[in-house]
Amino acid sequence: MRRGAGVPGVRVVLIGGTSNVGKSTVARAVAERLGFEYRSTDLLARHPGRPWRTPEREVPAHVAEHYASLTVDELITSVLAHYERLWPRIRTLIATHAAQDGAGTGLVLEGSALWPVRVAGLDVPHTGAVWLTADEAVLRARVHAGGRYEAATDEERTLMDRFLARTERYQSLMVAALDGLGLDRIDAGAGQTVPALVESVLATVAKQTAPGRR
């Protein structure tokens, strides 16, 4: 399919959502569909990530300490403060790609750092945004599968439980902000396929950027 097919004039697509909701999978597929560059806000600056072992990595000591020592409220405060510090870089990245006006490659940017209030305050052309959500049961199943919860030690489970609680709290706050601002969200945990989610994202962005809108 030719670059940008189905969303004429769109230069930047923003995909937000909580951890493990499927942002990166959907964003990569949208970028491939449009012929755009894919980027994640997670790669712009470090913050304690997923606190479970994988075949490629152990949990760094500072990450384990972060989740073990902080309450859920403190975890949320920490990550939201991180996203606030990161926002100037994100805003510049979005504005740069949006201003290219057909030159260069478009951008699909995903990440939890795309907080609704900040995105709503953007005044840049050729940009659409959507947030993915999923039921808490879906998020829990994905975290448990990713961390091999059933085989984990009690200490490892405690870290995953804290991460999941932060994930759920973030989504609750995010949804309240989205609904208060009238911004678009898509249920990514309702058994939809990735291609179906891509179509939903593109249809939503096309509607947002139609003539007469921003």
Side-chain angles (χ1 to χ4, degrees):
M1 178 170 292
R2 66 184 175 84
R3 177 174 297 174
V7 279
V10 172
R11 300 291 305 153
V12 180
V13 177
L14 306 176
I15 300 178
T18 196
S19 299
N20 289 87
V21 78
K23 299 184 301 299
S24 61
T25 299
V26 174
R28 288 180 188 276
V30 171
E32 182 178 0
R33 170 76 173 269
L34 297 177
F36 282 9
E37 176 187 356
Y38 160 83
R39 294 189 69 171
S40 171
T41 62
D42 290 346
L43 300 180
L44 296 178
R46 291 181 177 274
H47 190 268
R50 299 174 181 181
W52 57 80
R53 290 181 293 127
T54 68
E56 296 79 25
R57 65 181 284 276
E58 295 291 327
V59 179
H62 75 279
V63 173
E65 181 181 1
H66 179 78
Y67 288 98
S69 63
L70 299 182
T71 66
V72 175
D73 286 343
E74 290 170 335
L75 290 171
I76 281 290
T77 298
S78 174
V79 76
L80 291 180
H82 170 67
Y83 294 155
E84 183 176 5
R85 292 190 297 271
L86 191 57
W87 181 247
R89 295 179 62 188
I90 295 172
R91 183 178 56 214
T92 298
L93 181 64
I94 294 168
T96 298
H97 278 80
Q100 288 177 346
D101 196 23
T105 303
L107 175 68
V108 177
L109 180 66
E110 60 89 2
S112 299
L114 297 171
W115 190 245
V117 174
R118 295 191 185 99
V119 174
L122 287 172
D123 184 20
V124 294
H126 314 303
T127 301
V130 65
W131 285 260
L132 305 183
T133 63
D135 289 342
E136 290 185 358
V138 172
L139 296 174
R140 186 177 304 111
R142 291 177 179 174
V143 169
H144 285 185
R148 295 174 291 179
Y149 193 86
E150 295 302 320
T153 66
D154 289 344
E155 181 179 356
E156 289 170 334
R157 288 185 180 189
T158 296
L159 297 181
M160 280 185 268
D161 289 343
R162 291 283 180 86
F163 176 88
L164 180 59
R166 190 200 76 175
T167 296
E168 293 171 345
R169 179 76 63 81
Y170 177 96
Q171 179 169 264
S172 177
L173 294 171
M174 182 194 78
V175 167
L178 290 172
D179 291 350
L181 293 164
L183 300 178
D184 292 304
R185 57 186 173 99
I186 295 171
D187 185 354
Q192 293 190 72
T193 64
V194 172
L197 288 169
V198 169
E199 293 298 333
S200 294
V201 169
L202 294 179
T204 300
V205 169
K207 180 175 62 176
Q208 293 172 356
T209 57
R213 301 289 296 273
R214 181 181 66 183

